[in-house]
Amino acid sequence: MAGLRRRLVKRRIRIRRTRGRRLRRALVVLLALLANLVGAAVVAYHLTKIPEPHPETAMQSTVFVDDHGDYLGRRGPVDRQEVPLSQVPRYVQEAVIAAENRSFRTDTGISPKAIARAAWATVSGGDRQGGSTITQQYVKNALLSPEQTLSRKAREALISIKLDRTRSKDEILQGYLNTVYFGRGAAGIQSAARNYFGVDAKDLTVSQGAALASVINIPSYYEKAGSDPKVTAKLVDRWEWVLDAMAESGAITSAQRAGARFPAFRFYPPGDTDGQRQYLIDAAASEAADRLGITEDQLARGGYTVRTTFDLTAQDATAELAADGTDKKTGGKTGEKTAEAKAAEAKAGGKKQAEVKTTGDVRVHTAVVALVPGDGAVRVLFGGADYASQPFNDARDGAVEAGTALQPFSGMKLLAPLTDLTRTAAPTPLRLASAYATAAAHGVYATPYTVAKITRAGRTLYEAHPRTRTAMTRADAGTVAKFLYGRSDAPLATQTGAAGLRTLWQTTYDEHLTLTVALFAEHPAKGKKAALPAPLPYTAGSRSLSVAEGVWSKIVGTAEGHDPAAEPNPGLPTGQTKPILATR
């Protein structure tokens, strides 16, 4: 025992004597390890390159709006449009910062705590951890793959630090706001503003900006806000939290905070978006691509904003008015013939036709065109009620038997592009409307157009100007007006034409607007059997009148009584090429 105690005492003495040396060795090893780690990090930092954004984050959609700027629709693989940070209100920027990364303006681009949590979750197999900075989120979403590995996390941190040191906070925030996903298929603040509230990003209110910022956290869940009460209630709580943080930081005033009300969201999911609006987008997309000298595919991916000439309110009203008969099937016998139909029969030989009974279903088509005389801007282009079932545009491309619809132009010497109009058995409704618009504009033909302006990133790339030429004399234009007013006691020039019982036309015009409604019917194609013309139902006349009066009043209001037939040259005042509609 005594020997054992002596050995233990000697060992303790040796340990005390060598403790300092061993501590120094451990410290050297630790410092060497830290130096190696720092050196490796420095080398990795310098070797790290900031990658280009993913191709899909560079893709943008092209948005179409009507003449008033109201959203019409989009084309493109990704619902995204870039906007400069200057077009995002400061309070919207601050709302996103309050919701996602309150230290964004001062941090180095990374959150060490968030990285540690994420790394531990990856190693331990725990739940996915959030809390990344805005810079990290931008790097992850736009520059790197979404995989959750330690190596990708390390690369994300290095790129984030480098991005923060080489680019301004505003540049990083702009990139983030243009790529972050907001739900409802919208990538970026501009598309989100339109999808949730129907406005541009620059027009977002404080309440709307805070709501969009709140959505970023769980976009796939919050996208149903406004239609799902439970989701809405949860989002309201987060919205309040974001606004409180904004008020605390001074991003908004106490008065703005007190006056904030949770905004109304557009309904989601939306209804059928094919409808008849796609007819408008088809026409405008084709014209826009032609004006820019690119393909329609390039247009769809280019991030353009196409301002059309359409009046969406009038277009939607047209769809409602035509809904009772457009593309619906009917059966049975036709009713009383219109006066024009009877006149056409008499002109053909005076033979009285008996009532015609249809055999099988009959599909009635309604086409409506409204355009501005002397200018050519197309306000309404109704080519069908359901693009999904009939992508063919009856108003722009449909050949409708004219019958007596062209009677007022008989015997006139028409110039290009109306030269062969009276010899055309079946013109398109757009072409016939253009002819009457020429008469309304003293014989000045204006090429119809549907695109008023094309912009991208705030820069105007194209702006329309009327393309006009003389297609009939002023005297002949006056003759057309006198012919129309002489046949009707209405305050507007009106021509009703027909091709037997197969088609019915009605055109109304004054110096501000030309409106053409065309109805025709067919027995739908079945199998290998092609579609065949069919007699219109007895309701065609009243439907045509209802559509014409309804659309006219939507665009120009109720016309006051006047008689341009009493004027030597009815139509536009001399020199006027851009008439202003009464209610625009």
Side-chain angles (χ1 to χ4, degrees), residues 256-572:
Q256 286 176 307
R257 175 64 188 96
R261 298 291 181 271
F262 190 75
F265 280 36
R266 296 178 69 188
F267 183 79
Y268 187 83
D272 183 8
T273 56
D274 286 330
Q276 50 86 28
R277 292 191 182 189
Q278 291 299 328
Y279 294 107
L280 308 184
I281 295 175
D282 268 359
S286 175
E287 185 175 323
D290 182 65
R291 295 292 177 264
L292 294 176
I294 59 178
T295 67
E296 289 191 45
D297 283 343
Q298 290 172 321
L299 178 80
R301 298 169 183 268
Y304 301 94
T305 295
V306 179
R307 192 180 192 95
T308 69
T309 61
F310 302 122
D311 184 326
L312 195 51
T313 300
Q315 184 77 25
D316 289 344
T318 304
E320 292 178 8
L321 291 164
D324 290 339
T326 301
D327 290 336
K328 289 189 176 181
K329 295 179 181 179
T330 184
K333 65 181 182 179
T334 60
E336 293 183 0
K337 305 175 184 66
T338 64
E340 289 297 333
K342 293 178 180 178
E345 288 175 4
K347 187 175 181 180
K351 296 180 181 179
K352 183 178 179 181
Q353 292 184 353
E355 285 186 337
V356 180
K357 291 188 177 182
T358 63
T359 56
D361 291 336
V362 173
R363 187 181 296 276
V364 178
H365 293 255
T366 303
V368 183
V369 176
L371 50 81
V372 180
D375 179 283
V378 179
R379 300 301 185 204
V380 172
L381 188 67
F382 182 85
D386 187 4
Y387 184 90
S389 61
Q390 180 199 302
F392 183 82
N393 190 324
D394 286 329
R396 185 179 67 163
D397 305 312
V400 183
E401 193 174 2
T404 59
L406 294 174
Q407 189 174 355
F409 301 99
S410 298
M412 289 185 181
K413 183 180 179 181
L414 300 176
L415 305 177
L418 301 179
T419 307
D420 62 345
L421 178 67
T422 55
R423 298 191 299 274
T424 304
T428 66
L430 180 59
R431 190 175 188 215
L432 188 134
S434 299
Y436 279 98
T438 301
H442 291 300
V444 176
Y445 175 88
T447 303
Y449 67 96
T450 64
V451 175
K453 191 176 182 179
I454 305 174
T455 60
R456 182 167 61 176
R459 188 165 62 94
T460 299
L461 303 178
Y462 169 80
E463 193 160 10
H465 299 284
R467 293 185 293 172
T468 61
R469 62 186 301 172
T470 299
M472 68 177 69
T473 66
R474 294 169 66 90
D476 282 344
T479 299
V480 173
K482 291 176 182 177
F483 181 90
L484 268 57
Y485 279 100
R487 306 183 71 192
S488 171
D489 57 1
L492 299 168
T494 302
Q495 162 68 3
T496 302
L501 297 174
R502 298 179 297 279
T503 67
L504 180 62
W505 293 83
Q506 181 166 314
T507 297
T508 302
Y509 76 73
D510 68 2
E511 68 271 22
H512 297 309
L513 188 72
T514 296
L515 175 66
T516 292
V517 179
L519 274 73
F520 64 97
E522 66 178 9
H523 295 294
K526 290 184 179 180
K528 295 183 179 180
K529 187 178 180 181
L532 296 172
L536 287 164
Y538 73 93
T539 56
S542 60
R543 183 185 307 125
S544 174
L545 183 62
S546 174
V547 171
E549 290 180 347
V551 176
W552 188 277
S553 65
K554 276 291 181 182
I555 300 179
V556 300
T558 303
E560 297 180 359
H562 66 285
D563 187 1
E567 304 172 8
N569 290 297
L572 286 173

Side-chain angles (χ1 to χ4, degrees), residues 24 114 132 141 177 185 202 249 279 281 312 421 510 519 559 574:
R24 286 193 295 274
S132 298
N141 295 333
L177 288 174
K202 63 183 176 61
S249 68
Y279 294 107
I281 295 175
L312 195 51
L421 178 67
D510 68 2
L519 274 73
T574 301

Side-chain angles (χ1 to χ4, degrees), residues 1-9:
M1 291 293 292
L4 178 60
R5 280 197 296 271
R6 284 195 298 272
R7 285 195 298 273
L8 290 174
V9 170

Side-chain angles (χ1 to χ4, degrees), residues 52-209:
E52 292 296 321
H54 296 312
E56 58 267 26
T57 62
M59 290 180 185
Q60 301 183 63
S61 61
T62 285
V63 168
F64 296 81
V65 299
D66 82 342
D67 188 48
H68 301 285
D70 293 331
Y71 182 72
L72 179 60
R74 73 173 182 89
R75 286 281 169 87
V78 179
D79 190 0
R80 187 181 80 86
Q81 277 199 311
E82 288 190 1
V83 291
L85 195 63
S86 60
Q87 290 187 19
V88 182
R90 181 75 179 194
Y91 50 76
V92 177
Q93 301 175 34
E94 294 302 326
V96 173
I97 290 172
E100 292 297 305
N101 178 196
R102 296 180 184 180
S103 64
F104 170 72
R105 299 286 184 190
T106 58
D107 64 34
T108 60
I110 64 170
S111 170
K113 289 183 180 180
I115 292 174
R117 285 198 307 269
W120 175 251
T122 301
V123 172
S124 63
D127 293 335
R128 179 179 174 182
Q129 298 295 309
S132 298
T133 65
I134 282 176
T135 306
Q136 286 176 266
Q137 289 184 55
Y138 173 62
V139 169
K140 177 179 64 177
N141 295 333
L143 308 180
L144 295 178
S145 62
E147 61 181 335
Q148 295 294 308
T149 63
L150 287 176
S151 61
R152 195 206 62 79
K153 271 291 179 184
R155 189 163 179 241
E156 174 190 304
L158 287 171
I159 294 173
S160 297
I161 294 171
K162 197 160 193 175
L163 201 66
D164 189 77
R165 291 172 62 89
T166 58
R167 298 184 189 176
S168 70
K169 291 289 188 180
D170 280 353
E171 286 180 284
I172 295 170
L173 184 59
Q174 176 176 293
Y176 176 77
L177 288 174
N178 278 320
T179 55
V180 66
Y181 184 62
F182 285 88
R184 298 195 174 190
I189 189 71
Q190 174 73 347
S191 294
R194 282 191 169 133
N195 285 8
Y196 281 89
F197 302 114
V199 300
D200 288 327
K202 63 183 176 61
D203 298 320
L204 287 167
T205 65
V206 171
S207 294
Q208 291 171 337

